């Protein structure tokens, strides 16, 4: 019988390992073989082939991811968007209707408003903080509700418990993108969500060197999503599976460090006179801080902020920093800064961005694994520089 493990710290290192070990290998080997000898399989989906997501490297990784979020099963995909689009295309078919949070990752938002609309699947966007308004958007064709655990880039915390209750009451499939929190801070299936999605490109891999995605849920949902992915073809290659498995082993220590570091950085930024607003769920000033405390074990390494002086000040600040790298994406060892209006949310029209509160001057920060004091020092120097220009000094 396969050994099971109780704690996340142990699961990220040991869950999913083949027993007995393959040739005694301590690290799960890469099976870089497109196909495997026919062994009497009776279903197309069981033939061993990389696109069918079932090489030994995939199987071990799926078991680890499922164990990490206490799901029955998991599936990895070639990117976060491959996992998200394939899952949505499994749960919803033409004629169906979706309720989705209004402040979503730009790629997901674009997918829903363009591709989904072209397929005849309609979406209504909801204020996920205001459950009273959801009922009036329900239709007989509504099949699912889709939210993010911490929103990108404003770090809002939706009423996730109400989302689960609403889905159960109305027979909807509840889906959540858990990328920003990671299983270290939040495990959605334990709170009643049906499907948890990840861009593993971010915290789960954690090394800024692959793109990958995952979905975790019941065996019946994961089987259906796997068959859809087998047809759509967005499979993760075995070498990326190996890298993801290697990255997962340090997930807990990385994310806990990033949680602590981001909290200190958010507190220091909030006190600086050149700063107009800091969005971080761990700050007492965050409008849903108490809810975040009840839901999450930590508040992630993600924060966003605005300077007094808007977009011009933001640009000057970014130019004056020397430690963060100016790049989109998140969750890796390097501290990154980006302006969402120019990157992750550039596809959204400016009016929509304004309505959601994503100003042109908003800066998003992914806190890396560098020394916290060194990051803070660099940010404060850059802020002092911007403040001096504003004073005409
Ligand atoms: N979900 C969130 C919250 C993201 O931030 C991203 C990418 O930035 C994605 C999904 C898409 O992931 P990927 O780039 O791996 O396709």
């Amino acid at each position: 019988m396969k050994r099971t493990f109780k704690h996340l710290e142990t699961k990220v290192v040991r869950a999913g390992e083949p027993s007995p070990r393959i040739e005694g290998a301590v690290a799960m080997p890469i099976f870089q073989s497109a196909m495997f000898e026919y062994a009497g399989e009776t279903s197309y989906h069981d033939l061993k082939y990389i696109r069918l997501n079932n090489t030994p490297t995939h199987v071990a990784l799926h078991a680890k991811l499922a164990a990490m979020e206490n799901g029955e099963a998991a599936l990895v995909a070639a990117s976060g968007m491959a996992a998200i689009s394939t899952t949505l295309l499994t749960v919803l078919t033409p004629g169906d209707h979706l309720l989705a949070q209004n402040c979503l990752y730009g790629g997901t938002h674009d997918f829903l408003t363009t591709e989904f609309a072209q397929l005849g699947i309609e979406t209504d966007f909801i204020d996920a903080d205001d459950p009273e308004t959801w009922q009036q958007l329900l239709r007989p064709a509504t099949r699912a509700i889709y939210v993010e655990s911490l929103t990108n880039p404003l770090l809002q915390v939706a009423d996730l418990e109400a989302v689960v209750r609403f889905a159960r009451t109305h027979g909807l499939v509840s889906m959540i993108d858990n990328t920003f929190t990671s299983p270290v801070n939040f495990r959605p299936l334990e709170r009643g969500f049906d499907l948890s999605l990840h861009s593993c490109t971010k915290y789960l891999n954690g090394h800024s060197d692959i793109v990958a995605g995952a979905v975790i849920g019941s065996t019946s949902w994961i089987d259906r999503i796997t068959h859809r992915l087998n047809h759509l073809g967005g499979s993760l290659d075995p070498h990326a599976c190996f890298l993801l498995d290697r990255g997962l082993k340090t997930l807990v220590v990385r994310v806990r460090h990033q949680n602590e570091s981001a909290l200190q950085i958010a507190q220091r930024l909030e006190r600086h006179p050149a700063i107009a607003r800091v969005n971080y769920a761990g700050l007492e000033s965050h409008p849903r801080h108490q809810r975040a405390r009840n839901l999450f074990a930590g508040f992630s390494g993600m924060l966003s902020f605005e300077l007094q002086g808007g977009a011009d000040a933001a640009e000057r600040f970014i130019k004056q920093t020397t430690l963060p790298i100016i790049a989109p994406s998140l969750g890796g060892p390097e501290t990154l800064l980006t302006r969402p209006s120019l990157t992750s949310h550039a596809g959204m029209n400016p009016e929509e961005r304004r309505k959601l509160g994503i100003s042109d001057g908003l800066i998003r920060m992914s806190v890396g694994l560098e020394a916290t004091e060194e990051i803070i020092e660099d940010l404060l120097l850059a802020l002092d520089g911007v403040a001096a220009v504003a004073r005409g000094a």
Side-chain angles (χ1 to χ4, degrees):
M1 208 178 78
K2 266 228 153 135
R3 172 91 156 76
T4 55
F5 301 98
K6 286 199 266 292
H7 297 284
L8 185 63
E9 294 87 334
T10 316
K11 289 175 182 178
V12 293
V13 182
R14 302 292 300 277
E17 288 180 343
S19 173
R21 292 179 192 291
I22 298 163
E23 296 290 326
V26 171
M28 179 65 199
I30 312 171
F31 281 81
Q32 198 71 51
S33 178
M35 62 288 221
F36 292 70
E37 233 173 356
Y38 178 67
E41 293 88 355
T42 50
S43 150
Y44 166 73
H45 295 284
D46 292 338
L47 296 172
K48 291 263 177 299
Y49 186 56
I50 291 175
R51 179 171 47 75
L52 301 177
N53 304 292
N54 55 16
T55 73
T57 322
H58 284 93
V59 172
L61 188 52
H62 292 160
K64 176 173 287 186
L65 286 163
M68 283 165 51
E69 287 204 359
N70 287 317
E72 285 176 3
L75 170 70
V76 288
S79 66
M81 280 313 295
I84 291 167
S85 56
T86 307
T87 300
L88 284 165
L89 288 167
T90 308
V91 174
L92 295 109
T93 50
D96 286 347
H97 173 246
L98 172 72
L99 293 177
Q101 189 168 7
N102 53 10
C103 188
L104 290 179
Y105 164 63
T108 309
H109 187 272
D110 271 6
F111 176 75
L112 295 176
T113 49
T114 55
E115 323 287 341
F116 241 36
Q118 275 174 29
L119 291 171
I121 306 170
E122 290 184 26
T123 304
D124 270 311
F125 290 97
I126 55 168
D127 176 351
D129 207 17
D130 190 3
E132 302 295 306
T133 57
W134 306 343
Q135 177 96 26
Q136 71 213 38
L137 295 168
L138 265 183
R139 302 182 196 171
T142 311
R143 293 281 166 271
I145 184 162
Y146 185 103
V147 294
E148 290 181 0
S149 53
L150 266 174
T151 66
N152 179 11
L154 294 172
L155 291 313
Q156 293 160 337
V157 186
D159 192 344
L160 300 180
E161 286 170 323
V163 170
V164 169
R165 277 197 304 275
F166 187 81
R168 294 216 165 139
T169 307
H170 299 287
L172 311 181
V173 181
S174 50
M175 292 184 256
I176 183 163
D177 181 333
N178 196 31
T179 300
F180 269 45
T181 24
S182 93
V184 179
N185 292 326
F186 187 56
R187 290 180 292 281
L189 305 186
E190 293 175 3
R191 300 296 186 116
F193 277 91
D194 294 310
L195 293 167
S196 167
L197 293 142
H198 285 276
S199 166
C200 306
T201 313
K202 324 297 185 201
Y203 287 107
L204 295 198
N205 178 59
H207 289 75
S208 319
D209 52 11
I210 60 166
V211 288
V215 50
I216 305 162
S218 66
T219 306
S220 72
W221 270 121
I222 298 301
D223 281 351
R224 288 172 61 189
I225 299 163
T226 305
H227 288 187
R228 183 54 55 103
L229 187 69
N230 290 350
H231 290 142
L232 294 177
S235 309
L236 192 64
D237 82 270
H239 186 241
C241 286
F242 167 81
L243 288 173
L244 176 54
D245 183 48
R246 186 166 76 161
L248 286 174
K249 292 181 189 185
T250 55
L251 176 75
V252 179
V253 283
R254 282 188 283 106
V255 170
R256 285 193 185 144
H257 176 85
Q258 283 160 317
N259 286 341
E260 280 172 29
S261 203
L263 178 60
Q264 286 184 43
I265 292 168
Q267 287 168 339
R268 293 286 280 273
L269 285 178
E270 199 176 38
R271 293 203 297 267
H272 197 283
I275 291 282
R277 181 164 81 116
V278 180
N279 305 308
Y280 185 66
L283 289 176
E284 283 177 19
S285 59
H286 187 286
R288 295 296 178 204
H289 175 63
Q290 203 45 50
R291 178 184 291 160
R293 287 186 81 91
N294 295 339
L295 289 167
F296 306 147
F299 307 105
S300 92
M302 295 303 298
L303 56 121
S304 59
F305 52 95
E306 286 177 63
L307 273 70
Q308 313 279 3
D312 289 346
E315 206 43 49
R316 277 200 300 279
F317 165 77
I318 286 180
K319 284 207 179 101
Q320 295 213 24
T321 59
T322 59
L323 192 136
I325 300 171
I326 314 309
S329 201
L330 59 119
E334 310 83 7
T335 293
L336 305 178
L337 289 180
T338 181
R339 278 174 60 200
S341 62
L342 302 179
T343 54
S344 57
H345 290 68
M348 203 178 252
N349 78 47
E351 181 52 22
E352 263 177 290
R353 278 203 304 268
R354 199 192 52 74
K355 264 201 258 158
L356 291 171
I358 306 169
S359 72
D360 288 348
L362 186 74
I363 298 170
R364 190 187 77 181
M365 180 169 185
S366 169
V367 176
L369 296 170
E370 304 95 337
T372 313
E373 263 317 305
E374 207 164 347
I375 302 171
I376 291 176
E377 228 170 76
D378 193 59
L379 297 176
L380 295 185
L381 264 179
L383 283 175
D384 290 345
V386 173
V389 172
R391 285 195 309 271

